[in-house]
Amino acid sequence: AQSVTQLDSQVPVFEEAPVELRCNYSSSVSVYLFWYVQYPNQGLQLLLKYLSGSTLVKGINGFEAEFNKSQTSFHLRKPSVHISDTAEYFCAVSDQTGANNLFFGTGTRLTVIP
Amino acid sequence: KAGVTQTPRYLIKTRGQQVTLSCSPISGHRSVSWYQQTPGQGLQFLFEYFSETQRNKGNFPGRFSGRQFSNSRSEMNVSTLELGDSALYLCASSLAPDTHYGYTFGSGTRLTVV
């Protein structure tokens, strides 16, 4: 089975500063990796996904993530955050066998300070 | 196009009752999955349906069940409600049962058991 660890439960950052949200995964098979964002009282929105190929993945809203197989990591980054980026961010993993379920991390609450 | 629609948005039930939640996927999406989100356990996979068949099931008791109709709409049912069933229930749809297609989530149904 797969598992995901999001190392920081809360990350405060000043507006226009860079941010990195950390994610490590564990799996004995090849995986797909995802980052989702959840705004208050809403569902999850896909930010980006890694399926194969280039290890640097660009997503929506200026976010990007880098897949590092040797470190089993998939950290999310943004060079300059906005107030509107305040939300909960979830890293998720699934295996490549065709099973259609995601294993989620516990989430990181990003708070952008004006 | 319309997103994933979940009804109702909010629900209050009493212990011992049963509840049915509904999910209408994006038009053309044939795979529907359900997740439970709680502060203590985070996001956990309940089950996944494709072509009216349950393909995958998470580690939940038999009180949790679901079904999918020929138009891909799905319902989940929880019988004999317990206080611990209070949660946000999220439905997600995708084109086909493989995570690389990516999920689109609904806004969820918030169930409160009193």
Side-chain angles (χ1 to χ4, degrees):
Chain A
Q2 295 77 42
S3 67
V4 175
T5 301
Q6 292 185 244
L7 298 162
D8 306 298
S9 60
Q10 298 187 60
V11 173
V13 63
F14 285 104
E15 192 175 15
E16 297 184 7
V19 69
E20 178 180 82
L21 306 183
R22 297 180 293 170
C23 171
N24 286 88
Y25 70 93
S26 173
S27 177
S28 57
V29 299
S30 296
V31 297
Y32 299 134
L33 293 157
F34 306 82
W35 274 99
Y36 284 87
V37 60
Q38 185 175 36
Y39 299 102
N41 298 315
Q42 294 189 27
L44 302 173
Q45 181 182 7
L46 179 65
L47 280 176
L48 47 78
K49 59 183 176 181
Y50 172 79
L51 304 180
S52 64
S54 172
T55 57
L56 183 63
V57 181
K58 293 190 182 297
I60 62 171
N61 301 340
F63 285 94
E64 63 181 33
E66 185 156 19
F67 170 58
N68 188 320
K69 188 174 181 179
S70 63
Q71 297 186 8
T72 60
S73 68
F74 191 55
H75 300 333
L76 182 71
R77 302 185 182 100
K78 186 169 183 177
S80 175
V81 296
H82 303 290
I83 296 291
S84 59
D85 293 324
T86 294
E88 190 92 21
Y89 291 79
F90 293 93
C91 181
V93 65
S94 73
D95 65 44
Q96 295 185 11
T97 63
N100 204 30
N101 59 293
L102 295 166
F103 294 89
F104 285 90
T106 51
T108 297
R109 174 72 181 172
L110 173 64
T111 301
V112 180
I113 304 164
Chain B
K1 58 182 178 182
V4 178
T5 303
Q6 291 188 247
T7 56
R9 285 296 310 274
Y10 302 92
L11 207 48
I12 300 175
K13 289 287 187 178
T14 305
R15 270 183 304 175
Q17 286 187 313
Q18 76 165 12
V19 67
T20 298
L21 312 181
S22 180
C23 172
S24 293
I26 289 175
S27 178
H29 284 195
R30 297 171 59 201
S31 175
V32 174
S33 299
W34 290 88
Y35 286 79
Q36 181 195 64
Q37 185 177 24
T38 60
Q41 300 298 317
L43 282 151
Q44 293 185 288
F45 171 75
L46 280 157
F47 27 64
E48 182 233 340
Y49 289 87
F50 176 72
S51 293
E52 302 177 64
T53 301
Q54 186 181 91
R55 290 186 72 247
N56 203 359
K57 182 173 166 55
N59 188 26
F60 280 81
R63 300 185 296 107
F64 291 82
S65 64
R67 59 178 176 168
Q68 186 181 34
F69 302 95
S70 58
N71 61 358
S72 296
R73 191 177 70 84
S74 177
E75 289 181 347
M76 68 163 281
N77 183 275
V78 188
S79 63
T80 319
L81 284 165
E82 300 176 0
L83 295 179
D85 297 333
S86 294
L88 180 66
Y89 290 88
L90 292 166
C91 168
S93 74
S94 63
L95 282 168
D98 191 318
T99 48
H100 83 271
Y101 285 105
Y103 280 107
T104 300
F105 282 82
S107 297
T109 293
R110 185 165 297 281
L111 171 65
T112 302
V113 182
V114 298

